[in-house]
Amino acid sequence: MLFKGIPASHGIAIGSAFLLKVEELRHARRSLDSPADAEQEIRRFKTAVSEVRHDLENIADSMGDVVEGRQILEFLLLLLQDPTINKEVESEILCEMVNAEYALSTTLRGVMEKFTVMADPYIRERVADVRDVGRRVIEKLMGTEKEALKNLDQPAVLVAKDLDPSETAGLRPGQILAIVTDMGGRTSHTTILARGLGIPAVVGLQGITSEINPRDTLIVDGIHGHVIINPTGKELKYYRDIRDKFQEAENLLQRMNPGPAVTEDGVRFELAANIELPHEVEFVNKLEADGIGLFRTEFLRLIQENGEDEEDHFQIYNKVASEMMPKPVIIRTCDMGGDKFRTGLDSVREANPFLGYRAIRIGLDRPAELSIQLRAILRASVHGNIRLMFPMVTHIEQLRGLRDLLGMVKNDLSARGIPFNEKMQVGIMVETPAAVIALDLMLPYVDFVSIGTNDLTQYTLAVDRGNPKVADLYDSFHPAVLRQIDTVVRLCHSRRKWVGICGSMAGEPLAVPLLIGFGVDEFSVAPSLIPDVKKMIGVVTTCAAREMAEKSLSIETGLKVRALVHSYVVGKYPEILLDENDWKTGG
Amino acid sequence: MTERIVTVPNKLGIHARPAAMIVRAAVEFDCEIWVESPADKVNAKSIMGVMTLAASGGTAITVSAEGTDETEAVEAIIKVVRSGFGEEMI
């Protein structure tokens, strides 16, 4: 069950609900909604009374023969069980429809007034006893919850009507995963409190406290102001991913160099992020990335039942593009198949899934589905700097087919008067030797290319890196891979097209100087790698990088290429790259 | 309904401690028990009630009860009051 409120403090939390009826801490008047609520309050009152009675009896027992003390306690016990007082409290709760604390304090005030005006000084003194008993009961009433909050066996999501800093001042960040309240706004106490604790909060969720039961599992999305009560497995998985990424990004920000990615000699490179989930945009912006170099869209299949709702696609693209504005967002059409999850529909068991039905091979086979995605991308293109990218193009006919399909969608949109960016850049992933070798034939149809080094390495070396028996043959520094990268960059630049790199190689510290040397225009890496890549770009000069890149083309093995870059970097900056793993493995 | 009148025999009257003694006697019974002074009529099982009655020494109070054990109850309360609560008598 999804509830929408006001996002008050950023972050994602998943945990079990802890309901705090915070008004009771002030024993302020709280109106009850139904007779059932009143019954509940009376039960709560009776429980508190019997708990205080138990306490007092224990104290009395421990006093043994101290007669004075026992007498006082016995008197307190009589007060506690006074039927007149208790009936008055109960009728106050029922007739006035108020909470137990309020009813009790009102009643006791009346009792104390009566005592105070008594002529008999012995009785007047008993006002203190009334106050004592009253205080004990009220402490029980509010304390049971406060106490439970202190003794939570595991951190929980705090759910309350409203929070006041004085009531929650003792909360420790580790105790509370998130805060969810009925009341409040962006500047309310709850908001300030949550931000102070660095935990997510959603406020202004009117009535949510009556929807949530203790120990319900809650997802609190403080980014969008969503709260999901008892989520499905799918929702849990989706939000766990986002939460982990959010966490990772937050940690990264701690060790970030501000500003753009610039080489030691002052040449600027575009450093963009690969994202999978729309919510990552926020962190990407915090990381000061220059754009989204790869927006994977396979996730839509996961979170949607049918995966083909144009409006859903549009909303997501629109959000990402407008939040990144004016920075570019490269949306890659659905790259299903290969090693990626597939829907049941199109799974014929394949002997070689990587050589089989995947990516635009599926898209061109099912143009209706691909058109939906293209329409959504085009519609969103007027709301940001969107670029379109097709994966796994190996044949020129495919590229023509895709351009035709895109043209048809554009014509249809024009005919309907729906705006889109006529000049939206269109590019392809270069991830097969076919695309590299025949790139000159493809370039006239595209505005840019992005090298997918993972697939390019796998297809070039004919190595499935998921197979441990051959995984050590997988090496992006293999001369055959490096030479292809060099070829692609030269070809693109000779045709005045820009070239990016979005495979995991772009995030490898030792690859960064080489890629700079080859002249790659844009790096797109996982958000978590942005600080490291930025640092790496900062330690090389373009001149040295070019030398290394050139040299690497005539080096026999990947290992030797790594050693070359390693010695250069360590020679300059002994403090970095001391971890041998950086150049021995790294694949 | 059983009803009897008794005079508070101690000097200080029904203050806190005597009130507690009355209530302790009263709660032993199932029936409803009341104590009535010229000013007020209260539940004998309510410490607050008996105290606020503030019956001073020499005041005539009415003890009444209604229920299965009403006779014994009235008898017991009268006994406690007549004892003067172990205090100095008028």
Side-chain angles (χ1 to χ4, degrees):
Chain A
M1 209 171 8
L2 176 87
F3 286 83
K4 291 181 182 177
I6 300 165
S9 179
H10 279 185
I12 307 277
I14 301 169
S16 78
F18 181 85
L19 281 139
L20 182 66
K21 297 190 176 107
V22 173
E23 303 90 316
E24 291 157 9
L25 300 182
R26 281 179 251 143
H27 55 101
R29 182 189 175 110
R30 172 164 56 88
S31 296
L32 306 177
D33 299 327
S34 67
D37 286 352
E39 291 298 326
Q40 168 66 24
E41 284 301 290
I42 289 170
R43 270 198 299 280
R44 222 161 58 80
F45 173 66
K46 284 184 172 161
T47 307
V49 166
S50 82
E51 281 171 1
V52 172
R53 178 181 169 179
H54 186 75
D55 289 353
L56 290 176
E57 281 169 352
N58 278 345
I59 299 170
D61 285 350
S62 70
M63 284 188 155
D65 295 333
V66 186
V67 179
E68 268 303 277
R70 288 188 70 104
Q71 275 181 356
I72 291 171
L73 283 164
E74 277 166 21
F75 185 77
L76 294 181
L77 277 163
L78 289 176
L79 264 179
L80 184 69
Q81 295 164 85
D82 190 308
T84 309
I85 295 176
N86 290 350
K87 268 196 199 110
E88 204 174 320
V89 172
E90 287 172 27
S91 74
E92 179 89 8
I93 292 172
L94 275 170
C95 302
E96 302 294 319
M97 293 295 276
V98 290
N99 51 320
E101 291 86 343
Y102 183 79
L104 177 62
S105 53
T106 310
T107 304
L108 290 185
R109 234 186 343 262
V111 173
M112 288 190 286
E113 270 164 25
K114 273 189 194 160
F115 279 16
T116 312
V117 298
M118 303 280 284
D120 190 332
Y122 286 84
I123 292 178
R124 283 207 303 269
E125 280 167 22
R126 301 276 74 81
V127 168
D129 294 332
V130 177
R131 192 176 289 130
D132 185 6
V133 170
R135 184 180 53 79
R136 283 171 191 269
V137 177
I138 286 180
E139 267 179 12
K140 278 286 183 222
L141 281 171
M142 38 188 244
T144 41
E145 294 179 24
K146 222 179 184 181
E147 207 60 31
L149 185 57
K150 272 183 207 151
N151 298 325
L152 283 177
D153 46 357
Q154 57 186 41
V157 175
L158 183 57
V159 180
K161 291 212 167 170
D162 202 3
L163 290 178
D164 196 302
S166 65
E167 295 147 359
T168 46
L171 295 180
R172 284 173 284 112
Q175 243 174 349
I176 305 296
L177 295 170
I179 299 176
V180 167
T181 61
D182 281 342
M183 320 289 284
R186 276 174 215 278
T187 56
S188 70
H189 292 308
T190 305
T191 306
I192 293 161
L193 175 80
R195 287 190 189 145
L197 290 171
I199 57 173
V202 179
V203 301
L205 285 153
Q206 276 156 29
I208 195 150
T209 44
S210 48
E211 301 288 341
I212 295 175
N213 292 312
R215 307 232 164 240
D216 276 354
T217 298
L218 301 182
I219 291 175
V220 183
D221 175 352
I223 304 164
H224 301 93
H226 293 177
V227 173
I228 300 174
I229 305 173
N230 293 326
T232 63
K234 209 189 257 180
E235 287 168 327
L236 265 178
K237 191 204 169 304
Y238 177 68
Y239 276 97
R240 277 199 189 115
D241 279 355
I242 303 178
R243 178 192 58 189
D244 294 347
K245 285 192 171 157
F246 190 96
Q247 198 56 52
E248 198 179 300
E250 287 291 300
N251 295 342
L252 277 177
L253 288 173
Q254 310 294 326
R255 48 187 178 94
M256 254 296 275
N257 295 329
V262 179
T263 61
E264 199 186 54
D265 53 339
V267 178
R268 191 173 165 174
F269 279 80
E270 265 193 49
L271 180 52
N274 297 343
I275 66 166
E276 197 151 17
L277 302 166
H279 311 85
E280 290 179 82
V281 170
E282 179 136 357
F283 324 130
V284 169
N285 269 326
K286 276 193 190 164
L287 289 162
E288 298 178 49
D290 295 314
I292 305 288
L294 172 61
F295 182 12
R296 300 185 176 98
T297 57
E298 295 82 54
F299 79 97
L300 280 167
R301 289 272 178 145
L302 252 188
I303 61 164
Q304 293 176 358
E305 289 304 328
N306 54 14
E308 299 305 338
D309 185 277
E310 182 185 320
E311 199 54 31
D312 284 356
H313 281 263
F314 170 72
Q315 291 297 344
I316 287 165
Y317 303 149
N318 187 17
K319 174 187 152 58
V320 171
S322 52
E323 283 179 23
M324 286 306 294
M325 200 51 187
K327 296 169 178 174
V329 174
I330 300 176
I331 301 175
R332 181 179 72 184
T333 61
C334 189
D335 186 12
M336 282 298 192
D339 58 342
K340 300 189 189 81
F341 46 82
R342 316 180 48 157
T343 56
L345 282 173
D346 41 37
S347 55
V348 179
R349 237 189 132 68
E350 294 184 67
N352 293 302
F354 277 108
L355 306 182
Y357 192 57
R358 64 171 286 200
I360 54 103
R361 296 173 181 183
I362 299 175
L364 286 168
D365 190 41
R366 301 173 163 213
E369 285 176 19
L370 182 56
S371 300
I372 289 170
Q373 189 173 22
L374 294 180
R375 277 177 66 94
I377 292 170
L378 280 166
R379 281 173 58 201
S381 70
V382 291
H383 301 289
N385 186 359
I386 289 181
R387 295 167 183 179
L388 173 64
M389 182 160 71
F390 294 112
M392 276 295 285
V393 177
T394 49
H395 296 57
I396 207 86
E397 303 91 304
Q398 292 171 331
L399 200 43
R400 286 203 194 110
L402 292 166
R403 296 294 310 217
D404 289 349
L405 192 62
L406 187 65
M408 278 162 57
V409 175
K410 282 183 175 179
N411 287 341
D412 183 53
L413 288 174
S414 301
R416 291 165 196 265
I418 299 170
F420 61 90
N421 176 14
E422 292 275 0
K423 291 179 178 154
M424 180 179 71
Q425 288 192 18
V426 178
I428 53 168
M429 294 273 295
V430 170
E431 49 195 335
T432 59
V436 175
I437 295 166
L439 188 62
D440 58 321
L441 302 176
M442 298 199 186
L443 281 178
Y445 297 91
V446 303
D447 300 305
F448 68 92
V449 309
S450 186
I451 305 171
T453 53
N454 300 1
D455 276 339
L456 182 59
T457 304
Q458 136 162 308
Y459 288 126
T460 298
L461 303 180
V463 171
D464 174 3
R465 74 163 154 176
N467 179 345
K469 298 218 166 183
V470 294
D472 61 331
L473 296 175
Y474 180 98
D475 183 7
S476 296
F477 287 69
H478 188 286
V481 180
L482 296 182
R483 289 175 185 200
Q484 288 187 84
I485 294 171
D486 180 53
T487 304
V488 171
V489 176
R490 281 175 199 279
L491 260 172
C492 285
H493 286 177
S494 74
R495 305 287 165 91
R496 299 186 176 278
K497 315 275 173 165
W498 66 268
V499 51
I501 186 154
C502 65
S504 59
M505 190 183 187
E508 265 187 71
L510 287 176
V512 171
L514 285 179
L515 297 171
I516 288 174
F518 287 131
V520 167
D521 301 294
E522 177 231 41
F523 291 75
S524 192
V525 300
S528 60
L529 295 174
I530 285 182
D532 289 344
V533 173
K534 189 186 276 189
K535 201 186 280 170
M536 208 57 211
I537 291 174
V539 303
V540 290
T541 62
T542 44
C543 179
R546 228 172 281 133
E547 245 172 63
M548 270 187 283
E550 210 150 298
K551 222 186 223 174
S552 77
L553 292 174
S554 52
I555 291 177
E556 294 165 321
T557 70
L559 193 63
K560 281 186 181 167
V561 176
R562 287 173 199 270
L564 169 78
V565 183
H566 187 261
S567 67
Y568 166 78
V569 178
V570 170
K572 276 183 83 176
Y573 295 93
E575 74 276 13
I576 62 172
L577 282 178
L578 287 183
D579 185 357
E580 295 227 320
N581 291 329
D582 273 349
W583 64 282
K584 281 201 171 157
T585 59
Chain B
M1 164 82 89
T2 304
E3 193 175 279
R4 279 172 72 179
I5 296 172
V6 64
T7 301
V8 178
N10 64 322
K11 248 183 171 172
L12 295 172
I14 304 177
H15 60 90
R17 208 180 60 84
M21 289 172 78
I22 292 173
V23 173
R24 266 200 295 276
V27 295
E28 298 294 320
F29 298 93
D30 294 330
C31 60
E32 303 261 330
I33 311 169
W34 296 274
V35 185
E36 189 175 354
S37 78
D40 206 356
K41 183 180 179 179
V42 299
N43 183 344
K45 295 179 184 179
S46 162
I47 184 73
M48 186 203 65
V50 179
M51 272 170 66
T52 50
L53 201 58
S56 52
T59 311
I61 56 169
T62 305
V63 179
S64 56
E66 183 148 17
T68 47
D69 49 2
E70 57 183 55
T71 319
E72 297 87 340
V74 171
E75 191 60 43
I77 303 296
I78 294 290
K79 200 175 155 197
V80 171
V81 177
R82 284 227 175 106
S83 75
F85 314 105
E87 293 185 357
E88 193 187 341
M89 299 297 207
I90 295 172

